[in-house]
Amino acid sequence: MNPAFGKCYLVGAGPGDLGLVTLRAKECLEKADVIVYDYLSNPQMLRWARPEVEAIYAGKKAKDHSIPQGGINQLLIEKAKQGKEVVRLKGGDPFVFGRGGEEAQELREAGIEFEIVPGITSVLAGPAYAGIPVTHRDHNAEFTIFTGHEDPTKGETSIDWKSMAQRPGTKVFLMGVERIGAIADALMEQGADRETPVAMIRWATTARQQTLLGTLGDIAKKVKAAHFQAPAITVVGPVAQLREQLQWFETRPLFGKRIVVTRTRKQAGELSRQLEELGADAYELPTIRIEDPLQMEDFGYLVKDTHTYDWLIFTSPNGVDRFFDLFFKIYHDARSLGGVRIAAMGPGTANAIRKYRFAVDLLPVEYVAEGLLEAFKNEGVENLKMLWVKAEETREVLFEGLSEQGAIIDRAIAYRTVPETQDVSGGMARFREEGADLITFTSSSTVEAFLALKLPLPESLQIASIGPITSKTLRQNGLYVDIEAREHTMPGLVRAIREHYQPEVEEA
Ligand code: SAH
């Protein structure tokens, strides 16, 4: 093999759920120079790639081949010959009806080194996510996988339908949604029972998963009635029925709900993950981003003098991070903070403080400025020196209230929130194209920045707000509030959304 050539990795992308990608696949994506991916591999995986990667879509919805197969092989060979590390990303497992075998043969012929990274095939993952065990001791001791690509009514078929129909056990086939009638007929003609349960699972393991349950006798009619379309896996056999007892994926509380997260790119992940855990199809549309304050120098002086204050007040996790980033640039010893006591406006902020191994001395009962004022009133702050670490554009309630209580308060402006105008996550384009079921706002600034983007609002879009201040901003801007969190935290917001969609759920 020519040492100047790069290597080609034929990588299984799994069935769609990002959590079902192997560690090896992720490693390959992280170092690739070129990634050639197809229609069944989740494009979100490209996030793991280096920013300068060359990502090439090789399409392939039946009939509409973006690049013909021969072209794909040529492309892989050409890029590898240029010394590049090439990843050929294929849905499911590369060797299960994915032409991975043919690609490997051509690579070998061209003298290109390759590696095969198996993936979780849709053959197994689809039934599992539909609540169907492909084997079960009460029902079968074998299962057969075949392609539904060939039309049994045309002479060309290479499948022996007679032995297929008479085979015991579960049968799973890929492709062929539009031939389901012909395939079911072929099996029944050769003696399969028309009452045999059949399940079809489309876009398995993704937020778009849909499952259709029927029998060999009626599945074709059901497919038509439901306008059920490819891509789908079909399971034939008594185990398909077990879904009625074992389904779990489609019954999660937020399953299939498209929920937009508008926080900064850095912070969005936390909320999206919590929503995804409940089955939501969460996508990020960052509307704001954090920048240095205009008077960065002033911030520096105040951070440096923190030890001269009695109280240090944080009202956002961003403020906490900005403060400690700078603090530890100035000082190399945590004790330089002195004896200052630390207050946080809410649990998110408090957690951010604890990450730096500082304890929180004061946390209000109500997580808003008014709540914090109340808490300080009980403490007594007369003549005490306070440093409030804040965003440039916050309300003045806290400053005025504490001044009234007799405190001497300085404002350390740690950051500015500016509108995010670039579509960093692709979320803006997605929102424009297909809208969403719900949009979440976690601060007034996200509301204002979102409105400034002037995106069209889908008619049935619902709106969730983290609390009364954000809700007020929404209403002032002519919007409505469908959901408002009772506890003004990310988990509180997630709970409110869950209760909205599943009102019968009683929280302990
Ligand atoms: N190598 C792939 C299969 C490629 S053939 C694998 O191992 O899964 C393409 C067929 O796979 C589709 O027509 C469909 O039948 C099936 N398929 C792949 N991913 C799927 C998914 N997420 N949901 C339903 N079917 C899927």
Side-chain angles (χ1 to χ4, degrees):
M1 282 192 201
N2 190 330
F5 288 178
K7 191 167 166 180
C8 183
Y9 299 82
L10 298 179
V11 176
D17 184 338
L18 278 193
L20 298 182
V21 178
T22 65
L23 293 176
R24 182 60 182 152
K26 187 161 183 258
E27 274 172 11
C28 292
L29 289 166
E30 281 165 355
K31 64 176 186 180
D33 299 308
V34 179
I35 299 175
V36 182
Y37 64 104
D38 65 17
Y39 148 77
L40 287 171
S41 38
N42 184 343
Q44 285 191 56
M45 262 176 253
L46 299 177
R47 279 206 307 236
W48 298 330
R50 297 184 301 140
E52 61 276 19
V53 76
E54 184 185 356
I56 302 168
Y57 179 61
K60 187 116 133 226
K61 275 192 196 170
K63 293 176 207 125
D64 143 50
H65 290 201
S66 286
I67 306 179
Q69 183 65 32
I72 297 172
N73 296 350
Q74 274 321 305
L75 186 70
L76 300 178
I77 291 167
E78 186 190 306
K79 295 289 179 187
K81 281 191 169 166
Q82 292 166 7
K84 297 196 166 137
E85 298 281 295
V86 182
V87 166
R88 169 69 171 121
L89 195 57
K90 295 166 117 11
D93 180 274
F95 277 1
V96 177
F97 298 125
R99 302 202 193 198
E102 289 148 71
E103 287 174 11
Q105 283 171 319
E106 292 204 26
L107 290 165
R108 171 78 13 110
E109 240 165 66
I112 310 281
E113 196 188 343
F114 63 79
E115 175 177 325
I116 311 297
V117 182
I120 294 189
T121 174
S122 62
V123 173
L124 299 175
Y129 271 51
I132 299 169
V134 285
T135 72
H136 188 293
R137 280 202 301 167
D138 294 346
H139 300 287
N140 64 315
E142 63 175 78
F143 84 99
T144 309
I145 301 165
F146 66 100
T147 167
H149 194 57
E150 297 172 359
D151 192 333
T153 60
K154 303 216 172 104
E156 70 205 27
T157 178
S158 54
I159 289 174
D160 176 351
W161 292 98
K162 184 161 185 199
S163 73
M164 186 68 79
Q166 287 168 4
R167 262 200 115 71
T170 308
K171 295 167 195 78
V172 177
F173 67 86
L174 299 181
M175 305 174 272
V177 172
E178 56 294 348
R179 278 178 293 280
I180 181 66
I183 291 170
D185 286 347
L187 291 171
M188 289 187 291
E189 266 162 37
Q190 301 297 338
D193 183 350
R194 54 182 299 114
E195 294 307 318
T196 311
V198 177
M200 297 182 78
I201 309 130
R202 79 180 296 249
W203 282 121
T205 80
T206 74
R208 291 194 271 167
Q209 176 170 316
Q210 261 179 316
T211 307
L212 201 59
L213 194 58
T215 61
L216 274 183
D218 68 14
I219 192 72
K221 230 175 21 199
K222 286 190 167 174
V223 163
K224 217 176 208 166
H227 301 290
F228 196 85
Q229 283 173 338
I233 310 125
T234 306
V235 186
V236 182
V239 290
Q241 195 87 47
L242 291 176
R243 159 178 174 76
E244 288 183 335
Q245 213 183 321
L246 298 182
Q247 63 169 306
W248 60 275
F249 183 73
E250 292 158 57
T251 52
R252 291 169 309 155
L254 300 181
F255 175 71
K257 296 276 177 291
R258 293 162 309 162
I259 304 183
V260 181
V261 173
T262 55
R263 307 184 83 196
T264 61
R265 192 181 187 192
K266 210 172 132 223
Q267 293 179 309
E270 182 199 347
L271 181 54
S272 337
R273 262 192 303 279
Q274 291 181 32
L275 294 167
E276 282 164 1
E277 278 296 312
L278 297 173
D281 178 7
Y283 70 94
E284 295 168 12
L285 192 166
T287 54
I288 50 173
R289 77 170 182 262
I290 302 300
E291 281 195 352
D292 280 350
L294 295 175
Q295 314 293 339
M296 191 61 192
E297 214 168 296
D298 292 354
F299 181 49
Y301 285 125
L302 290 165
V303 171
K304 186 161 159 280
D305 287 345
T306 305
H307 59 90
T308 66
Y309 288 83
D310 299 298
W311 278 101
L312 176 58
I313 305 171
F314 292 105
T315 47
S316 70
N318 278 321
V320 174
D321 288 337
R322 302 276 313 182
F323 177 90
F324 284 110
D325 277 356
L326 193 54
F327 180 84
F328 286 114
K329 269 189 198 127
I330 302 173
Y331 296 110
H332 300 287
D333 183 341
R335 289 170 295 186
S336 307
L337 197 65
V340 66
R341 283 190 287 169
I342 301 180
M345 182 147 87
T349 305
N351 279 337
I353 296 166
R354 292 185 193 113
K355 271 194 212 125
Y356 293 93
R357 295 284 184 269
F358 284 96
V360 175
D361 302 291
L362 187 84
L363 185 67
V365 184
E366 272 251 39
Y367 311 139
V368 287
E370 289 77 1
L372 196 53
L373 283 176
E374 195 56 40
F376 273 124
K377 199 176 256 166
N378 299 334
E379 281 288 319
V381 295
E382 195 163 356
N383 287 329
L384 294 187
K385 274 187 76 185
M386 309 186 117
L387 184 63
W388 174 22
V389 177
K390 65 188 284 292
E392 197 143 281
E393 48 291 282
T394 47
R395 299 185 303 144
E396 289 303 313
V397 177
L398 198 60
F399 180 78
E400 284 160 12
L402 286 172
S403 305
E404 242 163 64
Q405 291 180 25
I408 303 140
I409 175 164
D410 285 323
R411 283 165 288 192
I413 307 218
Y415 63 96
R416 291 187 297 151
T417 49
V418 300
E420 177 67 86
T421 42
Q422 280 179 323
D423 191 10
V424 281
S425 60
M428 251 178 242
R430 182 169 173 196
F431 189 77
R432 238 189 223 108
E433 275 161 34
E434 57 161 285
D437 298 302
L438 179 75
I439 185 163
T440 58
F441 292 104
T442 50
S443 66
S444 293
S445 49
T446 55
V447 175
E448 280 152 8
F450 175 78
L451 287 167
L453 293 172
K454 298 209 187 320
L455 293 166
L457 292 186
E459 207 160 300
S460 58
L461 181 73
Q462 297 200 301
I463 299 182
S465 143
I466 193 155
I469 312 294
T470 304
S471 298
K472 193 169 156 209
T473 309
L474 281 162
R475 293 198 184 97
Q476 277 169 350
N477 284 287
L479 290 173
Y480 44 89
V481 178
D482 298 284
I483 302 172
E484 183 181 288
R486 252 179 293 135
E487 195 198 285
H488 316 313
T489 61
M490 293 308 133
L493 180 59
V494 172
R495 205 170 306 126
I497 293 172
R498 181 191 178 140
E499 283 167 10
H500 175 78
Y501 285 110
Q502 277 206 328
E504 74 276 21
V505 174
E506 286 285 324
E507 288 289 325

